[in-house]
Amino acid sequence: MTLDTLGARERQIMSVVYRLGRATVRDVLNALPGSPNYSSVRTMLNKLEEKGHLEHREEGRRYVYAPTLSPGKAQRSTLR
């Protein structure tokens, strides 16, 4: 599971989640450049979860996403 196989927007999203530690769709949406829409960000977060890069917890009605690997481990696996 390496970050180098991800697309540009997926890497941007992972960068936001790593920087924040955990994030909702709205958190990611507010931190991304350009004007992505809510549905697109939610879909990409779900795909990143399916790929094993993220996991989520439900907090009320919101999903809060967190990386499955620490930034250091993710970076080391990318370098390999």
Side-chain angles (χ1 to χ4, degrees):
M1 172 172 48
T2 64
L3 297 178
D4 61 340
T5 60
L6 300 178
R9 185 59 98 182
E10 289 174 317
R11 285 192 306 274
Q12 287 177 327
I13 289 171
M14 288 303 298
S15 177
V16 169
V17 177
Y18 275 126
R19 184 168 32 87
L20 297 176
R22 47 185 246 136
T24 64
V25 176
R26 183 66 56 198
D27 295 333
V28 173
L29 186 65
N30 291 335
L32 288 176
S35 302
N37 67 44
Y38 187 92
S39 302
S40 297
V41 172
R42 186 182 67 221
T43 298
M44 293 193 88
L45 285 164
N46 288 335
K47 287 186 185 276
L48 286 164
E49 186 172 22
E50 289 171 11
K51 292 179 180 182
H53 294 282
L54 296 175
E55 60 188 7
H56 79 271
R57 288 190 177 177
E58 290 185 47
E59 292 184 4
R61 294 178 42 152
R62 303 179 312 162
Y63 279 16
V64 179
Y65 293 87
T68 57
L69 292 176
S70 69
K73 284 185 181 180
Q75 188 175 30
R76 281 192 297 276
S77 70
T78 298
L79 292 175
R80 285 189 207 136

